[in-house]
Amino acid sequence: MIRFKAGVPRRAGHRGKHLTFGRTRAGARRRQRLRRLLALGLPTAWGAVAITYKLACPLAQQNGLGARIATCAVFFAVGTGLILHVRRGLLRELRQIRRVAGAAQGVLLRPLPPSVDGLNVAAAQVSADRGAAVGGDLYEVIGTEHGVRVVMGDVRGHGLAAIGTVAAVLGSFREAVHDEPELPGVLRKLERAMARHLRERAKAEHPSSGPSGPDPDSPVAEEFVTVLLLEIGRDGEMRALNCGHPWPYLLRGGGGGGGSGDRVEHLGFGDPLPPLGAFPLPAELPVTRCGPLLPGEALFLYTDGVEDARDSTGRFFPLPTALTEATRTHPTSPQEVLGTVFTQLLAHAGGFPTDDVALLVVANGRTQVQTAHREQLATPL
C-alpha cells in the first residue's frame, strides 16, 4: 500500500517522472529477455541442425565409411560451435565481473592526487592474487586542518581475503583524520573500528561466538593489521605513531657528492606499538617526533612484502640499494623513485611477488619550511 504524507500535494511532474522511470525499467527488462533468447537461439539452432541431419539426411542413414566420416564431421562442427558459443559468453561475463570488481576496488583504495597541500605524492601496489586489484595493503594521504596525515598499513594475510579489514581501517581513517586534532585520537578510532570489524566477522562466520569478541581458537582472533600513522605539519615537522609497521626511509636528492648514507636514511625510532587487533593498545600513546621534512626531501613508505620479496636463489630484495639508485637524480621525484624501485622489485621477484606490496612516496614540494635541526633520537610528546 502506498501512503502519502499529509499536507504534501501530489504534482503531475512527479507522476510523469515515475511513469518515465517505469517505462525505462520495462524496456530494460524486455531487452534483457531478448538477449537471453538470442543467447539460447544459437545453441538451439545448432542442435536442430544436428537432429535434422541425423533424422532426415539420407547420408546419415548409411553405414559406409564415408557416411560415418560425414556424420562425425557434422557432429564435431556442432559441438565445436556450441563450445565456442559458451566460451564467448563466459568470457563476456568474466570481463563484466572484472570491470565491476575493478571499479569497487578502485573506490576502496582510490588513486591518490599528485599533490596534497604542497606535498608531492606517488603510490603503487600489487596484490598477490592475480585476479585482485587490491589486496591486504592499504595507504591514504589526506590534507586536513591539522596537517597532512598519512596512513600505511598491512593486514595479516593477503589478497581478497583481507579486503574487508582494509575497508574497515581505511573508512575509519578517512573520517577520523578530520575530527581528531591529535594522532592518538585517530589511532584510537582505528582500533575501535578494527575491533568492531572482527566482532562482526566472527559473528558472521561463527554465530555461536559471544558478544565480547571472537573465540580465541577462531582464525578471526588471529587477525591483525600493522599501521603507521604520520602527520606532516605546515612547517614540515613530522609526527608518527607506529603499530608494528616498518619505519620509512628518508630520501635526499643526489646532487652534492655525498655518499649513499647521506642520501638514504632509515628512520628507526625504537620499539613500535603492537599491531591493531593483536593486543589492546596501552593507555598512553606517545607520539614520536621524526624531525622536519625539508624541501627536496622525500619519505619512502612501504609494506613488508617489499623487503620479503625473494629471487630464484632465495635472496631478499635489497631495498636500500634500490633507493640509493633511485635518488641519484636531483631533486628527488616521487614518480621516478617509485618507478625505479617498483621496476627493480618486479625484476627481482621474477615478475610477480608472493605477498601483497604497496609503495608510497611523499616529497616536500613546498618552497618555505621552518628550518630546524633533525633530531637524532625520538622524543615523545
Side-chain angles (χ1 to χ4, degrees):
M1 181 176 61
I2 301 177
R3 295 180 180 178
F4 296 93
K5 292 184 178 180
V8 181
R10 290 175 289 174
R11 292 180 292 180
H14 286 180
R15 183 180 180 183
K17 292 179 181 178
H18 291 317
L19 291 175
T20 303
F21 180 69
R23 294 194 191 100
T24 303
R25 293 187 61 184
R29 286 195 295 267
R30 285 195 296 268
R31 288 192 295 270
Q32 187 176 8
R33 286 195 295 267
L34 180 60
R35 284 195 295 267
R36 290 177 180 175
L37 290 175
L38 291 176
L40 293 175
L42 185 58
T44 303
W46 280 104
V49 169
I51 294 174
T52 302
Y53 172 81
K54 183 63 178 177
L55 298 179
C57 182
L59 184 61
Q61 310 301 324
Q62 299 178 11
N63 294 324
L65 179 60
R68 292 181 180 179
I69 293 176
T71 301
C72 290
V74 170
F75 279 93
F76 178 78
V78 170
T80 302
L82 290 175
I83 291 174
L84 292 177
H85 177 75
V86 172
R87 180 178 180 273
R88 182 181 178 184
L90 291 176
L91 289 177
R92 183 169 57 249
E93 184 176 356
L94 179 60
R95 285 193 295 267
Q96 179 65 18
I97 292 174
R98 285 183 173 176
R99 283 195 295 267
V100 174
Q105 294 175 3
V107 172
L108 172 62
L109 197 62
R110 58 196 180 192
L112 297 178
S115 178
V116 178
D117 196 14
L119 301 179
N120 301 324
V121 180
Q125 65 87 33
V126 60
S127 173
D129 286 354
R130 295 178 181 267
V134 177
D137 293 343
L138 59 98
Y139 55 79
E140 183 64 282
V141 181
I142 299 178
T144 72
E145 59 180 332
H146 314 296
V148 176
R149 288 178 167 176
V150 182
V151 65
M152 193 78 175
D154 186 0
V155 179
R156 177 183 178 271
H158 58 78
L160 294 172
I163 289 182
T165 306
V166 171
V169 175
L170 277 182
S172 177
F173 174 80
R174 288 165 179 164
E175 291 294 329
V177 290
H178 295 287
D179 299 335
E180 297 294 333
E182 302 294 338
L183 280 184
V186 177
L187 187 59
R188 293 291 184 191
K189 287 196 172 182
L190 296 188
E191 182 187 28
R192 288 195 292 269
M194 180 69 179
R196 184 169 55 250
H197 166 71
L198 293 181
R199 286 196 303 268
E200 294 174 352
R201 180 177 165 186
K203 186 176 180 180
E205 296 180 2
H206 306 280
S208 60
S209 59
S212 60
D215 186 348
D217 297 330
S218 170
V220 180
E222 300 177 358
E223 186 93 0
F224 63 86
V225 54
T226 64
V227 170
L228 174 64
L229 285 181
L230 188 68
E231 180 181 282
I232 305 175
R234 289 296 307 168
D235 56 357
E237 284 293 329
M238 298 182 293
R239 301 170 180 84
L241 281 172
N242 191 342
C243 294
H245 198 81
W247 285 101
Y249 282 86
L250 176 67
L251 309 180
R252 302 179 181 92
S260 61
D262 297 328
R263 294 195 297 269
V264 177
E265 177 186 353
H266 186 247
L267 300 181
F269 295 114
D271 296 331
L273 298 168
L276 298 183
F279 303 98
L281 291 177
E284 300 208 359
L285 301 175
V287 178
T288 301
R289 293 181 180 271
C290 304
L293 183 67
L294 301 177
E297 294 182 342
L299 281 178
F300 181 87
L301 296 86
Y302 61 98
T303 57
D304 59 6
V306 177
E307 292 182 320
D308 292 343
R310 303 194 187 198
D311 60 7
S312 58
T313 63
R315 293 186 303 111
F316 291 102
F317 178 65
L319 180 57
T321 303
L323 290 175
T324 301
E325 178 68 24
T327 55
R328 294 190 185 279
T329 59
H330 187 78
T332 303
S333 168
Q335 289 76 17
E336 292 180 1
V337 171
L338 193 69
T340 300
V341 175
F342 204 71
T343 301
Q344 293 188 21
L345 174 65
L346 294 181
H348 180 85
F352 206 85
T354 58
D355 193 7
D356 297 330
V357 168
L359 311 175
L360 175 63
V361 183
V362 180
N364 191 347
R366 298 167 179 167
T367 57
Q368 294 182 352
V369 160
Q370 179 180 351
T371 305
H373 295 289
R374 185 174 307 282
E375 302 180 23
Q376 298 299 323
L377 297 175
T379 304
L381 287 178

